[in-house]
Amino acid sequence: MVGYSAKQEFVSLTTMPEAGKLRGEKHLPEDTKPTGKMLSDSHPDQPPVYLQRLELIRNACQEEALRNLSHTEVSKFVLDRIFVCDKHKILFCQTPKVGNTQWKKVLIVLNGAFSSIEEIPENVVHDHEKNGLPRLSSFSKTGIQKRLKTYFKFFIVRDPFERLISAFKDKFVHNPRFEPWYRHEIAPGIIRKYRKNRTETRGIQFEDFVRYLGDPNRRWLDLQFGDHIIHWVTYVELCAPCEIRYSVIGHHETLEEDAPYILKEAGIDHLVSYPTIPPGITLYNRTKVEHYFLGISKRDIRRLYARFEGDFKLFGYQKPEFLLN
């Protein structure tokens, strides 16, 4: 899988030896490989669901047919997504459109920049000059390897298609004032390349977005869009789950149970709480998914699924047959 920045520096890390070696990849000596809390060294009382999620990833990472969709380099692009709390030895990989703002607030408090979640101004959360959250990419190669080997590591996923709908609504429909580039630069770029009816003057439609995401040759556009694409690239490209051995994978759909579990496993449940989750907000909404994909050609949906198949399989999401057939 290709990295995104032209100036990528690749960190040679192999954290899942079972998944087989990638061609041309350098490997760390056995004793420096990151371990994390995984199947072999989990607490015996760890609930089965969290073990099953890790087992599923481990098995999917070994599937040869999925290799191009499940493996990625641990590049600067990935290391930029991982936030560090040295004080409590925690790494959090950011997967946008999955309630990440709240997790960042938790880490900001743990790092000591603010004493409670309520005190953090919204404009500070994503301001990396002010929020006191270092990225893993800011450390030396040795520092990166040490943290990947010994820290508690987690990230959150949700149904891949529902996440794309959330990204489309947030960035192109509601489009916050402080992010004008989505509407004024990225949307016109997608329309120029992917709109079939050239005379149509409406703003970007979900159909245009789907056609762009499913195009195997969209790389040159992604490079132009830069890091703004983090809102819709795959979990694999963001967090390298076959290369980095995560301790826990949370699911947006079960966040009410997963958030307290993650805090407890990370040993910080006595220090901070996850903000209250509004009722119903995490539930998978099949009606919404069907509504958004209504009228989009089966060919375009199949191409989109082909791009995100790794995310569906690694994290146990059902193939959306109701859209594909």
Side-chain angles (χ1 to χ4, degrees):
M1 203 164 275
V2 182
Y4 283 96
S5 160
K7 300 181 199 162
Q8 294 287 25
E9 288 172 38
F10 295 109
V11 177
S12 305
L13 292 166
T14 303
T15 54
M16 279 202 171
E18 309 87 5
K21 295 188 177 184
L22 291 175
R23 280 193 302 276
E25 196 181 8
K26 292 194 189 90
H27 287 257
L28 298 178
E30 273 313 312
D31 60 349
T32 62
K33 288 183 178 176
T35 52
K37 288 185 190 173
M38 194 76 177
L39 298 173
S40 57
D41 49 0
S42 300
H43 299 313
D45 58 346
Q46 193 167 15
V49 64
Y50 301 105
L51 295 177
Q52 285 159 7
R53 287 175 187 174
L54 297 175
E55 183 83 76
L56 181 66
I57 290 171
R58 194 164 70 169
N59 291 337
C61 287
Q62 294 178 78
E63 272 188 51
E64 204 53 48
L66 267 186
R67 181 161 285 278
N68 287 340
L69 293 167
S70 61
H71 290 268
T72 193
E73 301 254 19
V74 182
S75 62
K76 185 176 182 297
F77 183 80
V78 170
L79 298 173
D80 276 346
R81 311 279 76 80
I82 300 177
F83 294 99
V84 181
C85 175
D86 274 335
K87 192 174 175 185
H88 299 283
K89 294 188 163 53
I90 296 168
L91 299 179
F92 166 62
C93 184
Q94 180 186 20
T95 48
K97 312 276 56 86
V98 190
N100 282 270
T101 300
Q102 308 296 10
W103 284 110
K104 283 170 94 170
K105 287 178 180 175
V106 166
L107 291 187
I108 288 166
V109 169
L110 289 172
N111 273 353
F114 290 86
S115 56
S116 76
I117 282 170
E118 295 69 38
E119 286 175 35
I120 307 169
E122 286 303 318
N123 63 330
V124 166
V125 180
H126 302 296
D127 185 334
H128 298 292
E129 304 296 314
K130 296 178 185 170
N131 67 14
L133 274 187
R135 297 172 190 262
L136 192 53
S137 56
S138 67
F139 296 90
S140 68
K141 191 170 175 178
T142 311
I144 291 168
Q145 290 174 347
K146 187 189 85 173
R147 286 169 177 81
L148 281 172
K149 181 184 177 185
T150 58
Y151 281 21
F152 177 86
K153 300 169 287 294
F154 77 100
F155 67 98
I156 314 295
V157 295
R158 75 189 289 188
D159 176 85
F161 280 6
E162 199 167 39
R163 173 179 165 244
L164 294 178
I165 291 167
S166 176
F168 178 78
K169 281 168 63 182
D170 184 40
K171 298 305 171 193
F172 298 111
V173 180
H174 305 309
N175 190 232
R177 277 197 314 279
F178 54 84
E179 295 181 327
W181 49 84
Y182 288 101
R183 191 170 279 176
H184 299 302
E185 293 168 34
I186 293 177
I190 292 172
I191 289 168
R192 273 194 302 274
K193 172 89 169 117
Y194 296 102
R195 181 157 294 175
K196 285 183 173 170
N197 181 355
R198 294 275 176 234
T199 59
E200 193 188 329
T201 55
R202 285 188 302 169
I204 189 169
Q205 302 297 300
F206 190 63
E207 184 180 15
D208 306 318
F209 188 55
V210 166
R211 207 169 284 133
Y212 149 63
L213 291 175
D215 179 9
N217 302 310
R218 69 187 182 281
R219 287 285 178 206
W220 65 274
L221 257 191
D222 282 352
L223 287 167
Q224 288 176 39
F225 297 159
D227 271 9
H228 301 314
I229 62 169
I230 63 167
H231 296 280
W232 51 77
V233 299
T234 65
Y235 300 129
V236 168
E237 291 163 298
L238 291 167
C239 297
C242 287
E243 281 65 44
I244 296 171
R245 188 179 285 215
Y246 286 91
S247 317
V248 178
I249 307 296
H251 281 229
H252 185 68
E253 295 81 2
T254 53
L255 200 55
E256 286 88 344
E257 299 85 52
D258 292 2
Y261 176 75
I262 289 166
L263 296 176
K264 181 167 161 284
E265 281 293 286
I268 52 172
D269 52 326
H270 61 296
L271 298 171
V272 67
S273 299
Y274 188 82
T276 307
I277 301 164
I281 202 165
T282 59
L283 296 176
Y284 172 70
N285 188 336
R286 176 171 162 159
T287 309
K288 178 177 75 180
V289 174
E290 285 180 322
H291 168 75
Y292 267 84
F293 281 94
L294 195 67
I296 293 179
S297 76
K298 292 286 187 251
R299 172 186 170 271
D300 287 341
I301 298 173
R302 284 194 195 102
R303 285 176 75 164
L304 183 71
Y305 178 74
R307 162 116 194 257
F308 287 86
E309 185 181 6
D311 281 0
F312 277 94
K313 293 199 167 165
L314 281 163
F315 304 107
Y317 287 102
Q318 291 295 308
K319 183 177 180 179
E321 299 288 356
F322 62 96
L323 295 176
L324 295 161
N325 300 319

